[in-house]
Amino acid sequence: MMSQATLDNFVEIKTEQAQNSQVLVVILKDLNVAWTDRDWSLRSQDLVYLDDKLANILIERGIARKVEVHA
């Protein structure tokens, strides 16, 4: 049986993993795209976190540029 503390830890770990697979990009061209998580309506100059696979596709095609954030 899973206790509430264990369940909370599991949810927290899954949330961190989901954030790790996200990439911050700036959109360079207007684009509508259907992806596994949702349909995206992206506009030039949008800053958005995208799934790393989608972000890499858009970067390779010159539609987006990766944004590096340093703390």
Short mmCIF file of all heavy atoms in Angstrom, two decimals:
data_model
loop_
_atom_site.label_atom_id
_atom_site.label_comp_id
_atom_site.label_asym_id
_atom_site.label_seq_id
_atom_site.Cartn_x
_atom_site.Cartn_y
_atom_site.Cartn_z
N MET A 1 0.85 -1.19 0.00
CA MET A 1 0.00 0.00 0.00
C MET A 1 0.89 1.25 0.00
O MET A 1 1.87 1.33 0.71
CB MET A 1 -0.90 -0.03 1.23
CG MET A 1 -1.87 1.10 1.26
SD MET A 1 -3.06 0.78 2.59
CE MET A 1 -3.69 2.39 2.75
N MET A 2 0.52 2.23 -0.81
CA MET A 2 1.31 3.45 -0.94
C MET A 2 0.77 4.50 0.03
O MET A 2 -0.42 4.79 0.05
CB MET A 2 1.21 3.96 -2.38
CG MET A 2 2.23 4.99 -2.74
SD MET A 2 2.05 5.61 -4.43
CE MET A 2 2.97 4.40 -5.32
N SER A 3 1.65 5.06 0.85
CA SER A 3 1.23 6.12 1.76
C SER A 3 1.12 7.44 1.00
O SER A 3 1.64 7.57 -0.11
CB SER A 3 2.23 6.26 2.91
OG SER A 3 3.44 6.79 2.43
N GLN A 4 0.50 8.43 1.60
CA GLN A 4 0.35 9.73 0.95
C GLN A 4 1.71 10.37 0.70
O GLN A 4 1.94 10.96 -0.34
CB GLN A 4 -0.54 10.67 1.78
CG GLN A 4 -0.81 12.01 1.10
CD GLN A 4 -1.59 11.87 -0.21
OE1 GLN A 4 -2.50 11.05 -0.30
NE2 GLN A 4 -1.23 12.66 -1.20
N ALA A 5 2.64 10.21 1.68
CA ALA A 5 3.98 10.78 1.50
C ALA A 5 4.67 10.18 0.29
O ALA A 5 5.30 10.87 -0.49
CB ALA A 5 4.81 10.57 2.77
N THR A 6 4.53 8.87 0.12
CA THR A 6 5.14 8.20 -1.02
C THR A 6 4.50 8.68 -2.32
O THR A 6 5.18 8.92 -3.30
CB THR A 6 5.00 6.67 -0.89
OG1 THR A 6 5.51 6.27 0.37
CG2 THR A 6 5.73 5.96 -2.00
N LEU A 7 3.19 8.81 -2.33
CA LEU A 7 2.48 9.29 -3.50
C LEU A 7 2.92 10.71 -3.85
O LEU A 7 3.18 11.01 -5.01
CB LEU A 7 0.97 9.25 -3.27
CG LEU A 7 0.10 9.75 -4.42
CD1 LEU A 7 0.36 8.93 -5.68
CD2 LEU A 7 -1.37 9.70 -4.04
N ASP A 8 3.03 11.58 -2.85
CA ASP A 8 3.49 12.95 -3.10
C ASP A 8 4.89 12.97 -3.70
O ASP A 8 5.18 13.74 -4.61
CB ASP A 8 3.47 13.78 -1.81
CG ASP A 8 2.06 14.10 -1.34
OD1 ASP A 8 1.12 13.97 -2.16
OD2 ASP A 8 1.89 14.45 -0.16
N ASN A 9 5.78 12.11 -3.19
CA ASN A 9 7.14 12.03 -3.73
C ASN A 9 7.12 11.57 -5.18
O ASN A 9 7.87 12.07 -6.01
CB ASN A 9 8.00 11.07 -2.90
CG ASN A 9 8.30 11.62 -1.53
OD1 ASN A 9 8.18 12.81 -1.28
ND2 ASN A 9 8.68 10.74 -0.62
N PHE A 10 6.27 10.61 -5.50
CA PHE A 10 6.16 10.10 -6.88
C PHE A 10 5.69 11.21 -7.81
O PHE A 10 6.24 11.42 -8.88
CB PHE A 10 5.18 8.93 -6.91
CG PHE A 10 4.93 8.41 -8.29
CD1 PHE A 10 5.85 7.61 -8.93
CD2 PHE A 10 3.76 8.73 -8.96
CE1 PHE A 10 5.63 7.13 -10.20
CE2 PHE A 10 3.52 8.26 -10.24
CZ PHE A 10 4.46 7.46 -10.86
N VAL A 11 4.67 11.96 -7.41
CA VAL A 11 4.15 13.05 -8.23
C VAL A 11 5.21 14.12 -8.42
O VAL A 11 5.40 14.65 -9.50
CB VAL A 11 2.86 13.65 -7.61
CG1 VAL A 11 2.44 14.92 -8.30
CG2 VAL A 11 1.75 12.62 -7.63
N GLU A 12 5.95 14.42 -7.36
CA GLU A 12 7.00 15.43 -7.43
C GLU A 12 8.10 15.00 -8.40
O GLU A 12 8.57 15.79 -9.21
CB GLU A 12 7.59 15.64 -6.03
CG GLU A 12 8.51 16.83 -5.91
CD GLU A 12 8.89 17.08 -4.47
OE1 GLU A 12 7.99 17.31 -3.64
OE2 GLU A 12 10.10 17.03 -4.19
N ILE A 13 8.50 13.74 -8.36
CA ILE A 13 9.53 13.22 -9.27
C ILE A 13 9.04 13.30 -10.71
O ILE A 13 9.77 13.72 -11.59
CB ILE A 13 9.91 11.78 -8.89
CG1 ILE A 13 10.68 11.78 -7.57
CG2 ILE A 13 10.74 11.13 -9.99
CD1 ILE A 13 10.87 10.41 -6.96
N LYS A 14 7.80 12.90 -10.98
CA LYS A 14 7.25 12.96 -12.33
C LYS A 14 7.22 14.40 -12.85
O LYS A 14 7.51 14.65 -14.00
CB LYS A 14 5.85 12.34 -12.38
CG LYS A 14 5.81 10.86 -12.10
CD LYS A 14 6.56 10.08 -13.14
CE LYS A 14 5.73 9.85 -14.35
NZ LYS A 14 6.37 9.04 -15.36
N THR A 15 6.86 15.35 -11.98
CA THR A 15 6.81 16.75 -12.36
C THR A 15 8.20 17.25 -12.74
O THR A 15 8.37 17.94 -13.74
CB THR A 15 6.23 17.61 -11.22
OG1 THR A 15 4.93 17.12 -10.90
CG2 THR A 15 6.13 19.06 -11.63
N GLU A 16 9.22 16.89 -11.96
CA GLU A 16 10.59 17.29 -12.27
C GLU A 16 11.05 16.69 -13.59
O GLU A 16 11.69 17.37 -14.39
CB GLU A 16 11.53 16.87 -11.14
CG GLU A 16 11.37 17.69 -9.88
CD GLU A 16 12.24 17.17 -8.73
OE1 GLU A 16 13.11 16.32 -8.99
OE2 GLU A 16 12.03 17.62 -7.60
N GLN A 17 10.71 15.43 -13.85
CA GLN A 17 11.09 14.80 -15.11
C GLN A 17 10.41 15.50 -16.28
O GLN A 17 11.03 15.70 -17.32
CB GLN A 17 10.72 13.32 -15.10
CG GLN A 17 11.57 12.49 -14.18
CD GLN A 17 11.06 11.07 -14.04
OE1 GLN A 17 9.94 10.76 -14.43
NE2 GLN A 17 11.87 10.21 -13.46
N ALA A 18 9.16 15.88 -16.12
CA ALA A 18 8.44 16.57 -17.19
C ALA A 18 9.10 17.92 -17.48
O ALA A 18 9.24 18.31 -18.62
CB ALA A 18 6.98 16.76 -16.82
N GLN A 19 9.51 18.63 -16.44
CA GLN A 19 10.16 19.92 -16.65
C GLN A 19 11.51 19.76 -17.31
O GLN A 19 11.92 20.59 -18.10
CB GLN A 19 10.31 20.64 -15.31
CG GLN A 19 9.01 21.14 -14.75
CD GLN A 19 9.16 21.76 -13.37
OE1 GLN A 19 10.20 21.62 -12.72
NE2 GLN A 19 8.13 22.42 -12.92
N ASN A 20 12.21 18.67 -17.00
CA ASN A 20 13.53 18.45 -17.58
C ASN A 20 13.45 18.19 -19.08
O ASN A 20 14.40 18.41 -19.80
CB ASN A 20 14.24 17.29 -16.88
CG ASN A 20 14.66 17.66 -15.48
OD1 ASN A 20 14.78 18.82 -15.15
ND2 ASN A 20 14.89 16.66 -14.65
N SER A 21 12.32 17.70 -19.56
CA SER A 21 12.20 17.40 -20.98
C SER A 21 11.63 18.59 -21.77
O SER A 21 11.29 18.47 -22.92
CB SER A 21 11.34 16.16 -21.20
OG SER A 21 10.01 16.42 -20.81
N GLN A 22 11.53 19.74 -21.13
CA GLN A 22 11.03 20.95 -21.77
C GLN A 22 12.20 21.87 -22.12
O GLN A 22 13.18 21.94 -21.39
CB GLN A 22 10.08 21.70 -20.83
CG GLN A 22 8.86 20.89 -20.41
CD GLN A 22 7.84 20.85 -21.51
OE1 GLN A 22 7.41 21.87 -21.99
NE2 GLN A 22 7.45 19.65 -21.89
N VAL A 23 12.07 22.56 -23.24
CA VAL A 23 13.11 23.47 -23.71
C VAL A 23 12.47 24.84 -23.93
O VAL A 23 11.41 24.94 -24.56
CB VAL A 23 13.73 22.96 -25.03
CG1 VAL A 23 14.74 23.94 -25.57
CG2 VAL A 23 14.35 21.59 -24.82
N LEU A 24 13.11 25.88 -23.42
CA LEU A 24 12.63 27.24 -23.63
C LEU A 24 13.14 27.73 -24.99
O LEU A 24 14.34 27.68 -25.27
CB LEU A 24 13.12 28.18 -22.53
CG LEU A 24 12.70 29.64 -22.64
CD1 LEU A 24 11.17 29.77 -22.59
CD2 LEU A 24 13.34 30.47 -21.53
N VAL A 25 12.21 28.17 -25.82
CA VAL A 25 12.57 28.67 -27.15
C VAL A 25 11.85 29.98 -27.42
O VAL A 25 10.82 30.28 -26.83
CB VAL A 25 12.20 27.66 -28.27
CG1 VAL A 25 13.01 26.37 -28.14
CG2 VAL A 25 10.72 27.36 -28.31
N VAL A 26 12.42 30.76 -28.34
CA VAL A 26 11.76 31.93 -28.88
C VAL A 26 11.34 31.55 -30.30
O VAL A 26 12.12 30.97 -31.05
CB VAL A 26 12.65 33.20 -28.85
CG1 VAL A 26 13.91 33.03 -29.64
CG2 VAL A 26 11.86 34.41 -29.32
N ILE A 27 10.12 31.85 -30.63
CA ILE A 27 9.57 31.51 -31.95
C ILE A 27 9.95 32.63 -32.92
O ILE A 27 9.79 33.81 -32.62
CB ILE A 27 8.04 31.33 -31.88
CG1 ILE A 27 7.68 30.26 -30.84
CG2 ILE A 27 7.47 30.99 -33.25
CD1 ILE A 27 8.28 28.89 -31.10
N LEU A 28 10.44 32.24 -34.10
CA LEU A 28 10.90 33.22 -35.10
C LEU A 28 9.88 33.45 -36.21
O LEU A 28 9.93 34.48 -36.88
CB LEU A 28 12.23 32.74 -35.70
CG LEU A 28 13.34 32.47 -34.69
CD1 LEU A 28 14.56 31.89 -35.39
CD2 LEU A 28 13.69 33.74 -33.93
N LYS A 29 8.97 32.50 -36.42
CA LYS A 29 7.96 32.61 -37.49
C LYS A 29 6.63 32.08 -36.96
O LYS A 29 6.60 31.14 -36.18
CB LYS A 29 8.36 31.76 -38.70
CG LYS A 29 9.68 32.12 -39.32
CD LYS A 29 10.03 31.16 -40.44
CE LYS A 29 11.42 31.43 -40.99
NZ LYS A 29 11.82 30.46 -41.99
N ASP A 30 5.54 32.68 -37.41
CA ASP A 30 4.21 32.18 -37.04
C ASP A 30 4.04 30.75 -37.52
O ASP A 30 4.46 30.40 -38.62
CB ASP A 30 3.11 33.05 -37.66
CG ASP A 30 3.06 34.46 -37.08
OD1 ASP A 30 3.78 34.73 -36.09
OD2 ASP A 30 2.31 35.28 -37.61
N LEU A 31 3.42 29.92 -36.66
CA LEU A 31 3.27 28.50 -37.00
C LEU A 31 2.15 27.88 -36.18
O LEU A 31 2.02 28.15 -34.99
CB LEU A 31 4.58 27.76 -36.71
CG LEU A 31 4.57 26.26 -36.85
CD1 LEU A 31 4.57 25.86 -38.32
CD2 LEU A 31 5.75 25.65 -36.13
N ASN A 32 1.34 27.06 -36.83
CA ASN A 32 0.37 26.20 -36.13
C ASN A 32 0.87 24.78 -36.30
O ASN A 32 1.20 24.36 -37.41
CB ASN A 32 -1.03 26.33 -36.73
CG ASN A 32 -1.61 27.70 -36.49
OD1 ASN A 32 -1.43 28.29 -35.44
ND2 ASN A 32 -2.27 28.24 -37.50
N VAL A 33 0.93 24.03 -35.19
CA VAL A 33 1.44 22.66 -35.25
C VAL A 33 0.67 21.78 -34.27
O VAL A 33 0.38 22.19 -33.16
CB VAL A 33 2.97 22.62 -34.97
CG1 VAL A 33 3.30 23.10 -33.58
CG2 VAL A 33 3.52 21.24 -35.19
N ALA A 34 0.32 20.59 -34.73
CA ALA A 34 -0.29 19.59 -33.86
C ALA A 34 0.82 18.72 -33.30
O ALA A 34 1.66 18.23 -34.05
CB ALA A 34 -1.28 18.74 -34.65
N TRP A 35 0.84 18.54 -32.00
CA TRP A 35 1.86 17.73 -31.35
C TRP A 35 1.20 16.75 -30.39
O TRP A 35 -0.01 16.79 -30.19
CB TRP A 35 2.86 18.64 -30.64
CG TRP A 35 4.13 17.93 -30.26
CD1 TRP A 35 4.58 17.68 -29.00
CD2 TRP A 35 5.11 17.37 -31.13
NE1 TRP A 35 5.77 17.01 -29.04
CE2 TRP A 35 6.12 16.80 -30.35
CE3 TRP A 35 5.23 17.29 -32.51
CZ2 TRP A 35 7.23 16.16 -30.89
CZ3 TRP A 35 6.33 16.65 -33.05
CH2 TRP A 35 7.32 16.11 -32.24
N THR A 36 1.97 15.88 -29.79
CA THR A 36 1.42 14.83 -28.94
C THR A 36 0.71 15.37 -27.71
O THR A 36 -0.23 14.74 -27.22
CB THR A 36 2.53 13.87 -28.49
OG1 THR A 36 3.54 14.62 -27.80
CG2 THR A 36 3.15 13.16 -29.67
N ASP A 37 1.13 16.51 -27.20
CA ASP A 37 0.52 17.04 -25.98
C ASP A 37 -0.65 17.99 -26.26
O ASP A 37 -1.56 18.10 -25.44
CB ASP A 37 1.56 17.74 -25.10
CG ASP A 37 2.25 18.91 -25.79
OD1 ASP A 37 2.12 19.05 -27.02
OD2 ASP A 37 2.93 19.68 -25.08
N ARG A 38 -0.65 18.65 -27.42
CA ARG A 38 -1.72 19.60 -27.76
C ARG A 38 -1.46 20.21 -29.13
O ARG A 38 -0.41 19.99 -29.72
CB ARG A 38 -1.83 20.70 -26.71
CG ARG A 38 -0.56 21.54 -26.59
CD ARG A 38 -0.63 22.58 -25.52
NE ARG A 38 -1.05 23.84 -26.10
CZ ARG A 38 -0.96 24.99 -25.48
NH1 ARG A 38 -0.50 25.07 -24.26
NH2 ARG A 38 -1.35 26.09 -26.07
N ASP A 39 -2.39 21.00 -29.60
CA ASP A 39 -2.20 21.79 -30.82
C ASP A 39 -1.63 23.14 -30.41
O ASP A 39 -2.15 23.79 -29.51
CB ASP A 39 -3.52 21.99 -31.56
CG ASP A 39 -4.07 20.69 -32.13
OD1 ASP A 39 -3.31 19.71 -32.22
OD2 ASP A 39 -5.26 20.67 -32.47
N TRP A 40 -0.56 23.53 -31.06
CA TRP A 40 0.12 24.78 -30.73
C TRP A 40 -0.15 25.83 -31.80
O TRP A 40 -0.05 25.55 -32.98
CB TRP A 40 1.62 24.56 -30.64
CG TRP A 40 2.04 23.75 -29.45
CD1 TRP A 40 2.21 22.40 -29.40
CD2 TRP A 40 2.35 24.24 -28.15
NE1 TRP A 40 2.60 22.02 -28.15
CE2 TRP A 40 2.69 23.14 -27.36
CE3 TRP A 40 2.35 25.51 -27.58
CZ2 TRP A 40 3.04 23.26 -26.03
CZ3 TRP A 40 2.71 25.63 -26.26
CH2 TRP A 40 3.05 24.51 -25.48
N SER A 41 -0.47 27.04 -31.36
CA SER A 41 -0.58 28.19 -32.24
C SER A 41 0.52 29.15 -31.80
O SER A 41 0.37 29.90 -30.84
CB SER A 41 -1.96 28.84 -32.10
OG SER A 41 -2.03 29.97 -32.93
N LEU A 42 1.64 29.09 -32.49
CA LEU A 42 2.83 29.84 -32.10
C LEU A 42 2.98 31.07 -32.98
O LEU A 42 2.78 31.01 -34.19
CB LEU A 42 4.07 28.94 -32.23
CG LEU A 42 4.01 27.65 -31.41
CD1 LEU A 42 5.14 26.71 -31.81
CD2 LEU A 42 4.06 27.95 -29.93
N ARG A 43 3.33 32.17 -32.37
CA ARG A 43 3.50 33.44 -33.08
C ARG A 43 4.91 33.95 -32.92
O ARG A 43 5.56 33.72 -31.89
CB ARG A 43 2.50 34.49 -32.56
CG ARG A 43 1.05 34.09 -32.72
CD ARG A 43 0.66 34.07 -34.18
NE ARG A 43 -0.63 33.43 -34.39
CZ ARG A 43 -0.81 32.31 -35.09
NH1 ARG A 43 0.21 31.70 -35.64
NH2 ARG A 43 -2.00 31.79 -35.25
N SER A 44 5.38 34.66 -33.92
CA SER A 44 6.71 35.24 -33.89
C SER A 44 6.92 36.02 -32.59
O SER A 44 6.05 36.77 -32.16
CB SER A 44 6.88 36.17 -35.09
OG SER A 44 8.16 36.73 -35.09
N GLN A 45 8.06 35.82 -31.97
CA GLN A 45 8.50 36.46 -30.73
C GLN A 45 7.90 35.83 -29.46
O GLN A 45 8.17 36.32 -28.37
CB GLN A 45 8.25 37.98 -30.74
CG GLN A 45 8.93 38.70 -31.90
CD GLN A 45 10.43 38.45 -31.95
OE1 GLN A 45 11.11 38.60 -30.95
NE2 GLN A 45 10.94 38.05 -33.11
N ASP A 46 7.09 34.76 -29.59
CA ASP A 46 6.60 34.04 -28.40
C ASP A 46 7.78 33.38 -27.70
O ASP A 46 8.68 32.85 -28.34
CB ASP A 46 5.60 32.94 -28.77
CG ASP A 46 4.22 33.45 -29.10
OD1 ASP A 46 3.95 34.65 -28.91
OD2 ASP A 46 3.40 32.63 -29.56
N LEU A 47 7.77 33.42 -26.38
CA LEU A 47 8.68 32.62 -25.55
C LEU A 47 7.86 31.50 -24.96
O LEU A 47 6.86 31.76 -24.29
CB LEU A 47 9.28 33.46 -24.43
CG LEU A 47 10.39 34.42 -24.81
CD1 LEU A 47 10.72 35.33 -23.64
CD2 LEU A 47 11.62 33.67 -25.25
N VAL A 48 8.28 30.26 -25.19
CA VAL A 48 7.45 29.14 -24.76
C VAL A 48 8.32 27.94 -24.44
O VAL A 48 9.37 27.73 -25.05
CB VAL A 48 6.39 28.80 -25.83
CG1 VAL A 48 7.03 28.37 -27.12
CG2 VAL A 48 5.41 27.77 -25.35
N TYR A 49 7.90 27.16 -23.42
CA TYR A 49 8.54 25.88 -23.13
C TYR A 49 7.86 24.82 -23.98
O TYR A 49 6.64 24.68 -23.91
CB TYR A 49 8.40 25.52 -21.65
CG TYR A 49 9.38 26.22 -20.76
CD1 TYR A 49 9.04 27.38 -20.09
CD2 TYR A 49 10.66 25.70 -20.58
CE1 TYR A 49 9.95 28.03 -19.26
CE2 TYR A 49 11.58 26.34 -19.75
CZ TYR A 49 11.22 27.49 -19.10
OH TYR A 49 12.12 28.12 -18.29
N LEU A 50 8.63 24.09 -24.76
CA LEU A 50 8.11 23.03 -25.61
C LEU A 50 8.80 21.71 -25.27
O LEU A 50 9.92 21.70 -24.76
CB LEU A 50 8.37 23.34 -27.09
CG LEU A 50 7.71 24.57 -27.67
CD1 LEU A 50 8.18 24.79 -29.10
CD2 LEU A 50 6.19 24.44 -27.62
N ASP A 51 8.12 20.63 -25.61
CA ASP A 51 8.70 19.29 -25.52
C ASP A 51 10.03 19.32 -26.27
O ASP A 51 10.14 19.94 -27.34
CB ASP A 51 7.72 18.30 -26.16
CG ASP A 51 8.30 16.92 -26.31
OD1 ASP A 51 8.30 16.19 -25.31
OD2 ASP A 51 8.75 16.60 -27.43
N ASP A 52 11.06 18.68 -25.71
CA ASP A 52 12.39 18.77 -26.33
C ASP A 52 12.43 18.26 -27.77
O ASP A 52 13.13 18.81 -28.61
CB ASP A 52 13.45 18.07 -25.48
CG ASP A 52 13.20 16.58 -25.28
OD1 ASP A 52 12.07 16.11 -25.52
OD2 ASP A 52 14.14 15.89 -24.87
N LYS A 53 11.63 17.26 -28.11
CA LYS A 53 11.61 16.75 -29.49
C LYS A 53 11.03 17.79 -30.45
O LYS A 53 11.59 18.05 -31.51
CB LYS A 53 10.83 15.45 -29.57
CG LYS A 53 11.52 14.31 -28.87
CD LYS A 53 10.70 13.05 -28.94
CE LYS A 53 11.38 11.93 -28.15
NZ LYS A 53 10.59 10.72 -28.12
N LEU A 54 9.91 18.39 -30.06
CA LEU A 54 9.30 19.43 -30.90
C LEU A 54 10.23 20.64 -31.01
O LEU A 54 10.43 21.18 -32.09
CB LEU A 54 7.93 19.84 -30.35
CG LEU A 54 7.23 20.98 -31.07
CD1 LEU A 54 7.03 20.66 -32.55
CD2 LEU A 54 5.91 21.31 -30.39
N ALA A 55 10.80 21.04 -29.89
CA ALA A 55 11.70 22.20 -29.89
C ALA A 55 12.87 21.96 -30.84
O ALA A 55 13.22 22.83 -31.64
CB ALA A 55 12.22 22.47 -28.48
N ASN A 56 13.46 20.77 -30.80
CA ASN A 56 14.59 20.48 -31.68
C ASN A 56 14.20 20.49 -33.14
O ASN A 56 14.97 20.95 -33.99
CB ASN A 56 15.24 19.15 -31.28
CG ASN A 56 16.01 19.26 -29.99
OD1 ASN A 56 16.57 20.30 -29.68
ND2 ASN A 56 16.02 18.19 -29.22
N ILE A 57 13.02 19.99 -33.47
CA ILE A 57 12.54 20.03 -34.86
C ILE A 57 12.41 21.48 -35.32
O ILE A 57 12.88 21.84 -36.41
CB ILE A 57 11.20 19.29 -35.00
CG1 ILE A 57 11.40 17.78 -34.81
CG2 ILE A 57 10.55 19.59 -36.35
CD1 ILE A 57 10.09 17.00 -34.68
N LEU A 58 11.79 22.32 -34.50
CA LEU A 58 11.60 23.72 -34.87
C LEU A 58 12.93 24.46 -34.98
O LEU A 58 13.11 25.31 -35.86
CB LEU A 58 10.67 24.40 -33.88
CG LEU A 58 9.24 23.85 -33.81
CD1 LEU A 58 8.42 24.63 -32.80
CD2 LEU A 58 8.57 23.83 -35.17
N ILE A 59 13.87 24.14 -34.10
CA ILE A 59 15.19 24.77 -34.15
C ILE A 59 15.91 24.38 -35.44
O ILE A 59 16.48 25.22 -36.13
CB ILE A 59 16.02 24.39 -32.90
CG1 ILE A 59 15.40 25.06 -31.66
CG2 ILE A 59 17.48 24.78 -33.07
CD1 ILE A 59 15.92 24.51 -30.33
N GLU A 60 15.88 23.08 -35.77
CA GLU A 60 16.53 22.61 -37.00
C GLU A 60 15.94 23.24 -38.25
O GLU A 60 16.65 23.48 -39.23
CB GLU A 60 16.41 21.09 -37.10
CG GLU A 60 17.27 20.34 -36.11
CD GLU A 60 17.01 18.84 -36.11
OE1 GLU A 60 16.28 18.34 -37.01
OE2 GLU A 60 17.53 18.16 -35.21
N ARG A 61 14.66 23.56 -38.22
CA ARG A 61 13.99 24.15 -39.39
C ARG A 61 14.06 25.68 -39.40
O ARG A 61 13.50 26.32 -40.29
CB ARG A 61 12.54 23.68 -39.44
CG ARG A 61 12.44 22.20 -39.69
CD ARG A 61 11.03 21.75 -39.81
NE ARG A 61 10.99 20.30 -40.07
CZ ARG A 61 9.90 19.61 -40.26
NH1 ARG A 61 8.73 20.21 -40.22
NH2 ARG A 61 9.95 18.33 -40.48
N GLY A 62 14.70 26.27 -38.42
CA GLY A 62 14.86 27.72 -38.38
C GLY A 62 13.60 28.46 -37.94
O GLY A 62 13.47 29.65 -38.19
N ILE A 63 12.69 27.75 -37.29
CA ILE A 63 11.44 28.36 -36.85
C ILE A 63 11.55 28.84 -35.41
O ILE A 63 10.81 29.72 -34.98
CB ILE A 63 10.28 27.35 -37.00
CG1 ILE A 63 10.12 27.00 -38.47
CG2 ILE A 63 8.99 27.87 -36.40
CD1 ILE A 63 9.19 25.83 -38.74
N ALA A 64 12.51 28.29 -34.65
CA ALA A 64 12.69 28.66 -33.25
C ALA A 64 14.18 28.72 -32.93
O ALA A 64 15.00 28.17 -33.64
CB ALA A 64 11.99 27.66 -32.34
N ARG A 65 14.48 29.39 -31.84
CA ARG A 65 15.85 29.46 -31.33
C ARG A 65 15.81 29.15 -29.84
O ARG A 65 14.97 29.69 -29.11
CB ARG A 65 16.44 30.85 -31.56
CG ARG A 65 17.88 30.96 -31.09
CD ARG A 65 18.52 32.29 -31.41
NE ARG A 65 18.53 32.47 -32.87
CZ ARG A 65 18.30 33.62 -33.47
NH1 ARG A 65 17.99 34.69 -32.78
NH2 ARG A 65 18.35 33.69 -34.79
N LYS A 66 16.72 28.29 -29.40
CA LYS A 66 16.80 27.92 -27.98
C LYS A 66 17.23 29.12 -27.15
O LYS A 66 18.11 29.89 -27.55
CB LYS A 66 17.77 26.76 -27.80
CG LYS A 66 17.81 26.20 -26.40
CD LYS A 66 18.70 24.98 -26.34
CE LYS A 66 18.70 24.41 -24.93
NZ LYS A 66 19.54 23.20 -24.86
N VAL A 67 16.59 29.26 -25.99
CA VAL A 67 16.93 30.34 -25.06
C VAL A 67 17.61 29.72 -23.84
O VAL A 67 17.06 28.81 -23.22
CB VAL A 67 15.67 31.11 -24.61
CG1 VAL A 67 16.02 32.17 -23.57
CG2 VAL A 67 14.97 31.72 -25.81
N GLU A 68 18.81 30.17 -23.54
CA GLU A 68 19.55 29.68 -22.37
C GLU A 68 19.28 30.63 -21.20
O GLU A 68 19.43 31.85 -21.34
CB GLU A 68 21.05 29.64 -22.66
CG GLU A 68 21.45 28.69 -23.77
CD GLU A 68 21.34 27.22 -23.37
OE1 GLU A 68 21.40 26.92 -22.15
OE2 GLU A 68 21.18 26.40 -24.29
N VAL A 69 18.90 30.06 -20.08
CA VAL A 69 18.65 30.85 -18.88
C VAL A 69 19.68 30.45 -17.82
O VAL A 69 19.79 29.26 -17.49
CB VAL A 69 17.22 30.60 -18.33
CG1 VAL A 69 16.99 31.42 -17.07
CG2 VAL A 69 16.20 30.93 -19.39
N HIS A 70 20.44 31.41 -17.34
CA HIS A 70 21.47 31.15 -16.33
C HIS A 70 21.07 31.88 -15.05
O HIS A 70 20.75 33.06 -15.08
CB HIS A 70 22.84 31.64 -16.81
CG HIS A 70 23.27 30.97 -18.07
ND1 HIS A 70 23.81 29.70 -18.08
CD2 HIS A 70 23.23 31.36 -19.36
CE1 HIS A 70 24.09 29.36 -19.33
NE2 HIS A 70 23.75 30.36 -20.12
N ALA A 71 21.10 31.13 -13.96
CA ALA A 71 20.72 31.72 -12.66
C ALA A 71 21.89 32.37 -11.99
O ALA A 71 23.01 32.15 -12.24
CB ALA A 71 20.15 30.64 -11.75
#
